[in-house]
Amino acid sequence: MVVVSSSIHGDLSPQNALKLARAHLENAQRTDDPELAALLYNEARAALSRMKQPTLEVLLSSGSNLDQYLSGEITYVVSALDEMLNGLKQHDKLAAGVEAEGSDVQSTDDDLVPSDGTIVADPQNHQTAENDSITIPRHIFAENKRPPTVEFTLPGRGERLKSTPQLVYCLTSLQAWRSSIYSTLEPAAQNWAHNWAHNLDADEDEMERIESFAPDVVRAFGRCVSNDPKLIAEVACLAPVLDKAVYRDLLGQLYKRIEQSLILDTILLEGLAQVIRYATLGYLEAADLTMMLRLFEERLCDIQEQPMQHVYELVLAVSSVLDAMADANVKDLNYDSLREPLSDYLNGLKAMSDPYLVYQAAYTYQALQHIPDQEPVWQTALGRNGRAKSGQPNIIGTFNPLDLSEFFAQLRNIYSLSDASKVKSQETSEQTLQDYLQEARSFECKQAWYPALRMADILLQSGRFAEFKALVYETPCRKDPAFQWGLCQCLRELGFDPKWDTETRQDAIPFLEEVYRNNAIWGNQANVKQRIVITLAQLASQPESVKQTAEVTLKHLRINGDTRNRHTDQEEQNSCYDSCLFEAFESRMYPTLLDRVQDTPDVEILLRQLRKQRLKCGGSALYIETQAKATIDSSDQAPFLLMDKVKEFLNTDLKVFLVVGTSGVGKSTFCRELEYTLWKSYQTMGGHVPLYIDLTSIDNPNQDLVARQLQKAGFNSDQINEMRLYKKFVLICDEYDQIQDPENLYVGNELNQPGGWNVKMVVCSRIENLGANYLRCFQPMNQDCEPQPELLRQAVIIPLHTDQVQDYINRYVSKHSHAWKADDFLQALGRNSDMKDVAESPLLLSLFLEVMPRMVESWQHLSTKKFTRVEVYDHIIENWFESSRRRLEEENSSPQTIEAFDRLTSDGFVSSGIHYLKRLTAAIYKNQDGVSVVEYSRLRDVGTWKEEFFLHDEMNRLLHRASPLKCSGSKLQFVHPSILEYGLALTVFDPQEARKTTTRKPSLSRRGSADSVMSFEMNDPCDDGPTVTAQGLVMGSPLSWRSFVDNPLVLHFLEERVQQEPLFEQQLMAFIELSKTDKVWRTASANAITILVGAGIHFNGFDLRGIRIPGANLSHGMFECAQLQGADLRKTTLRSVCLANADLSQALMKGVRFGEFLSLIEESSVHSCAYSPDARHFAVGLGCGLLTLYSTSNWERIRKLGKNSHSITNVSFSPGGNIVSASFHRTIRLWDVETGTCLNSLTGHTNKINGAVFSPRGDYIASCSSDKTIRLWNVESGECRSIFSGHKRPVQDVAFSPTGDQIAFLSSDNTVRFWTIDSGVCRNDFSGHYKQVNTMAYAPNGRLFVTGSNDKTVQLWDVETGACRHTLRGHFGRILSVIFSPLSDLIASGSSDKSVRLWNVDTGVCQYVFLGYYGSIKAIAFSLKGHQIAYGCGNKVVRVCDVQDGIRHDVPHGHVGSVWSVAISPKDGRVASGGDDMTLRLWDFDTGLCLKILRGHQGGITGVAFPLRGEQVASCSFDKTVRLWDTVTGNCRQILSGHTDRVRSIAFSPNGDHFASGGDDQTVRVWNAETGTCNIILSGHQGSVASVAFSRWGQVVSGGRDKKIRVWNAVTGVGRKTISGHTDAISSIIFSPKDDRVASGSRSVCLCNTTSETLFRVVGIHSAPITSVVFSPSGDLVASSSADKTVRIWEAESGVCRATMDCFQASVNSLAWATRSGVEYLLTGDSNGLVQLWQMKEDGGQWNASWSSTSSQLNMTGASVQGVQGLSSVDARLLKQRGAVDEPVLKR
């Protein structure tokens, strides 16, 4: 930063340079301010340096051609400058130097000589080094600029003019032509305006037409009675081009209007001032202006009681008039009659508290004082022609040199005569502006700051920025606060003026910063600094470039601290006064005067009315910024603000912006907010007219869309045609998906075609109602009907995220009066995670918040309340109708309406409304198949079903208005589509109505009971309780009309209703029973059983013989031991259903979908698998060295290839169908699929081969090996073409790019590199995992790459940039395999956690989970089209499934992975389970419903335990921690650390105040349950502690891998006993509930007591390790579970096995035993992720399943399929494989 540069840049003549330099010199000699003297010295030097040739040195030489006078003047100036330099150097307050051109004076201190030869101020004279000079950058206001000119298109002959400024431009061009100004210019300057004027001069008729418009406009203004600001501004801008007579007519009209107005109109004042200011010389007379001033004085004296803001506006307007009078050189102003009263009035304002008003009053007073008897000083300096008129285009744009020396001289004279020069308080930082203005006598005499400001303003308007900068620094009143206030205003107006270029507007900001910072130069006035801060804050609201500069400056000044906060009041007042400035931008209320004289149709009034109407409809206080993503598949994790994107779109050449989203996500709300925002913008800035169009309200919107909408708004055909030709529109088209026969609106309406509508379109639609290639329906087309997809943009609205929900709730609470606080709502929502999708919809969220408080009883804690969706909707609908009742009650209605309303009220308005809702939704489903939009007509729909609801009587009309419907013309639909589904569900079962009509309750018995064989029989009529009869179920039920299996929301409502209403469950059971005897009930029966299964109702042991349920969805249902003989199960879905021991004999099962294919059972572990390119074959590579080949048509094994030897690590198909296999034997083999022969063996690797793949064309094979090399083989010759070596570690995997030009390889150093085949160059290095990387895969599209690691994550990479796109987390084991789907849209990953997960590539979200059950997943393959996925498990099994049949990750289905521990609460019977998926789940004992899912552990949960009392549960985990949870809230109370390895077991003491844990660190720890502190550590085991237990007396017993049982004193930690006898590791241990016996399990179940040292009885033995043992509550029986997939019940005394439960399909890992109401129950958890509750029969020999968590695998163990019809051979084999017995009848 340097001091200000010379006032004039560019070469100057010697005369002008000398004149400017001498002026600076004389000013420097007069000043006592050394800093200012230094500044002026630099300015004088800079002026001389700009002298044209001959240069300064030549001029001073003896041979100069200049006359003696000029040479003498130059010599004098140079000598005086040298003398001044010496004086400045000696000044003790300066430290500066000069390196002046042509001078031999050198500084004695180099540090004081800047390289640019300028003098700077002494740093010691300022507060900081930063403020040690005038630090305006040299480029700021560096040169004069031509005042901005808006060039208009000049009209052709007869063409209509578009605006009055265009008319002014035309007349100005014509005047310039006539005055021959153009002829003085260079040829380049004789532009097209000159040519136009020349042609016009030769066309008398056209010239007469153009010239007639100006007087016509003035006459039109005279006829107009409105004082609209736009009209006044329009006519005022004509002043510079009017003839004298017309001008004086306009002047008289304005004066007359002001004189006749009852209240002084400030707009008229401003217009009059502008007309005066633009007057042509000789047009104005002094009498005119004095007469006006007399009128103003009279009016001002009448407004003493007006509000302060109005007073300010009037004073501001009068000051403008006075400025104009001063500029017009008005003389002989009568002092007594005019000056004195006006001066007295203004003087009376100086005591006001508002500094803005006081300043403006002082300014006006000074203007009054400067209405001269001679020409004002600024006019003297400028000359009459020195100033460009701002109202007239500056076509020529030349600058004449200005001599400001005389102006400064007069200014100094005024300054010296005023008291301002003597006032010292201006240096005082805390003095107010009001005090200063009074002390400096600004209301008593002339002040220098007023003419200085007038000159500064004129220079800025004229573009003389260099002179402006010189003026500001050289004026003697530079430190005057009044001058600085006015300077802020001038610079503010420059920064806001859109006509100037951005660079010029930005220059105002550092200028203001200099005034703020440099106290030594400008003083330290706090009120001025406040004004600067406010000005900068206002400039920060400008367009981006100006805004950024202002924001950076504000931040630099640190004004967002105390400085800004101290002056909030001033800022608020400033914004109040500035509000009048925005009125100048108000859109026109009336048509322009020019439009009137050209007979243009009037559209502005209607547009104004339309704007007002639409603004009233928008601007919701609860609107949350809508967020969106670019495409459907884009990630929700990186959204953008949709409003910002649409605004960007409007500033581009794009034509269509498509906004899509799911129902209720806020599309219509966004459309209305967009319309509101654009109307607000149009109000101030003009531009495109926003037009919101509900497409459902327009008949056939595919044609004449815009015209029809404008017709609805009241525009006539002439006005519509006018807007079509001359207006631009933004069409905001909502509800596209709801119109009939939707087409391409852009094409059908011929938008943006020649002579058509000039529009941009924003179209909103539900995404679920659009087709697959929906973008084609929105693409613009050109005139040749060619699609232009590049002109289309799309955005997909995403649901509200957590922060937005919180923001919405905060706004909701602040707007509504509620006893609940925002935290209360958030807590209630947080405890109901299944209501997340309701919270994500703005509409549903608002409705939910309204009813939520009334759903919680006063005695309930928020965290305990469980909201169900159907309960929420019950309250929402009731509240809606109650609100509608209140609204209708307050309306002024006709007698007929009041009578109808009273009848509805007497019958119960809410219940009547709900009944209407039920009837309407049922009718929509029955007559329109659920299509939500209803279109009705009073003429067409007479006699139709619609008449009953919309056209019938007054009561229906009221109910229609009260319902949650939205109407658009003749179309209506529910405010949210879910209300339609809810209404139908309520039609199926209305709890209120059912309770009125039901009388008795049926008795439903299981097979084998005394009542019946599970038929739905009636009890004795005398029994109490409600019942459901077959006669009560009519075919009118919606369940009988159609299948609702494919309508998940209807099913969800009904499933929740089943869980709440036992009566509804009975009705559904009755439908199933009726289907046995009459097929007419089969649809209702299929719907009923689908609902019941979805509600978690188990059918274990039910008599379902002969039921007809075709098409039902029984997925995850429990039908163990069910009787299904002869049942019609055609086309049912039996995904992961449990049919163990069920009887399916003679059932019809054609088209049944099982959700999985036949599993392939192999001879050893599966290491690799692959589909052939034609999908006909499937190959599997095994650990035993065999390669097996299958036919995918029937999954029969075709052949085995190879022999038992070394493991096959990889198999891959060539494009032609051959197979390559790699093995640990260092050999690669090529196989012929058809013959099974080995075509070739490729050898060369010196260690095991880890991978081998074909190139995309099949001509090469790439292989990698543990010998640290990669080899490229020629398939035809078998030769090794290339060897890529140099790795320091084994190469684990290899893959070809889809183009075949690169090979990717994975090294054991955890990096992926790419090898370019032709060049052999290795590029890129992908590394991001922190543990070993095991697998990788290329995407078929070639753009992405994926890796899997031991860190349990999958990482997705961008091949081109090397950036990691997603890190996919969810597995809780090592990642062993990854692969892309054929379309590159999914990633499948297999893990040691025995699961396969499918991830969405774009979002990174896990969509499906497949369980392996049998071991780690080492191999995955997609079928050719990606519909099937096959994965190989570690335990010799390959599973083949439909991709869509995986467990949806976002739906709770029980545990994913093994369940390791289960427990039953002694207090309330709740069930807890923990497993591999790191979740602790709480279940309802009676129903099996999952109550809560508790997350927090970072490893699998190995143990869970309840205390005897209290509401908590404990868990332990592989993550080495123990956690205590609150069972009511689900919150984690404590996290206990201390174990140094995995924790495997946990148990509470009898009184619950302590608990013990044991783990792999070989210790047992005893914890205080209240404080979480570890009381004691028990050491002694020589291996992992697998199990711990407490005795009734508080002893701790533990067992583990060291095969020892140890008994401890829990208080002292002393080991009391060590019991031996087990020959295998102990996995479980438990105390007897009635004595001191201990049961333990290894491979055998053993008993001992705590007093002995050896086992005294072996109770029983399993064929595999025992996983859990448990005593019955009586202590007489012991249950044991084992990895042999059985549970056995033993007599504790005799060791007799009372029962064996062998229906499990996986290892049973944990047991719990409890008694409820005299019935004994056994709880199991297994490796299939199932938690199951079993009920014991009286003899203890049989156990029936009571409930099970969601099954994740088809279970047919023991199920009879004898004579089943319709199964394919593959399905029959699948059922056999899953345990079915007997033989079905195969389909032929």
Side-chain angles (χ1 to χ4, degrees), residues 981-1023:
E981 279 90 354
Y982 165 78
L984 182 74
L986 195 64
T987 306
V988 172
F989 183 83
D990 185 345
Q992 302 297 330
E993 198 171 282
R995 294 188 184 101
K996 297 176 184 177
T997 58
T998 334
T999 56
R1000 292 179 300 126
K1001 182 177 181 179
S1003 173
L1004 306 181
S1005 304
R1006 295 183 183 275
R1007 175 173 53 89
S1009 70
D1011 291 329
S1012 70
V1013 225
M1014 196 44 212
S1015 287
F1016 298 91
E1017 300 175 355
M1018 302 303 162
N1019 284 342
D1020 189 271
C1022 64
D1023 291 345

Side-chain angles (χ1 to χ4, degrees), residues 55 186 222 231 237 245 398 572 637 686 756 831 963 1057 1072 1158 1182 1260 1283 1295 1349 1393 1396 1487 1550 1571 1580 1635 1679:
T55 62
E186 298 294 331
L231 298 182
C237 77
T398 58
E572 291 177 354
Q637 307 306 311
R831 299 266 51 87
S963 297
R1057 195 71 82 186
I1072 299 172
L1158 187 69
L1182 304 177
Y1260 289 101
I1283 301 176
S1349 165
D1393 64 9
V1396 174
T1487 65
T1571 65
D1635 51 35

Side-chain angles (χ1 to χ4, degrees), residues 639-658:
F640 51 77
L641 293 178
L642 182 57
M643 188 69 72
D644 291 349
K645 281 292 182 184
V646 173
K647 289 179 179 178
E648 290 178 13
F649 157 77
L650 295 177
N651 292 322
T652 66
D653 293 330
L654 302 176
K655 299 302 181 184
V656 180
F657 196 105
L658 174 62

Side-chain angles (χ1 to χ4, degrees), residues 759-779:
V759 304
K760 287 178 176 288
M761 291 188 73
V762 179
V763 187
C764 288
S765 175
R766 296 184 192 175
I767 198 168
E768 56 265 36
N769 294 345
L770 299 176
N773 298 318
Y774 62 88
L775 289 177
R776 298 178 182 176
C777 299
F778 302 94
Q779 290 179 358

Side-chain angles (χ1 to χ4, degrees), residues 1569-1583:
E1570 183 66 26
T1571 65
T1573 57
C1574 181
N1575 291 348
I1576 197 166
I1577 300 175
L1578 311 178
S1579 301
H1581 281 285
Q1582 301 301 309

Side-chain angles (χ1 to χ4, degrees), residues 85-94:
L85 176 62
N86 292 329
L88 291 173
K89 283 181 171 291
Q90 295 172 3
H91 198 283
D92 59 358
K93 291 186 177 181
L94 288 177

Side-chain angles (χ1 to χ4, degrees), residues 110-260:
D110 292 340
D111 292 336
L112 299 179
V113 184
S115 60
D116 59 358
T118 56
I119 296 179
V120 296
D122 183 359
Q124 297 179 356
N125 192 39
H126 303 284
Q127 298 174 358
T128 64
E130 179 175 67
N131 291 334
D132 63 357
S133 65
I134 301 176
T135 54
I136 292 293
R138 184 181 295 271
H139 67 276
I140 298 300
F141 294 148
E143 58 186 8
N144 295 332
K145 294 185 178 181
R146 171 180 165 177
T149 299
V150 180
E151 293 187 347
F152 295 90
T153 302
L154 292 169
R157 179 177 175 80
E159 185 178 342
R160 198 184 89 183
L161 293 174
K162 297 181 180 179
S163 67
T164 304
Q166 183 189 22
L167 173 61
V168 174
Y169 187 74
C170 293
L171 295 175
T172 304
S173 300
L174 192 58
Q175 290 175 1
W177 165 257
R178 286 173 174 170
S179 60
S180 302
I181 296 178
Y182 288 111
S183 62
T184 65
L185 301 179
E186 298 294 331
Q190 297 181 10
N191 54 14
W192 53 274
H194 157 264
N195 296 330
W196 176 84
H198 173 74
N199 295 332
L200 185 66
D201 193 44
D203 189 340
E204 294 183 4
D205 292 339
E206 181 65 8
M207 179 180 295
E208 181 180 354
R209 185 181 78 92
I210 295 295
E211 290 181 331
S212 68
F213 285 141
D216 286 348
V217 168
V218 174
R219 285 191 288 271
F221 177 69
R223 295 191 299 270
C224 178
V225 297
S226 169
N227 290 334
D228 179 76
K230 285 291 185 182
L231 298 182
I232 295 172
E234 180 187 2
V235 74
C237 77
L238 284 171
V241 295
L242 294 175
D243 292 337
K244 183 174 182 179
V246 179
Y247 174 85
R248 293 193 59 79
D249 179 30
L250 174 60
L251 191 69
Q253 289 186 39
L254 291 171
Y255 175 83
K256 186 177 180 180
R257 291 189 184 213
I258 295 172
E259 184 182 36
Q260 294 178 349

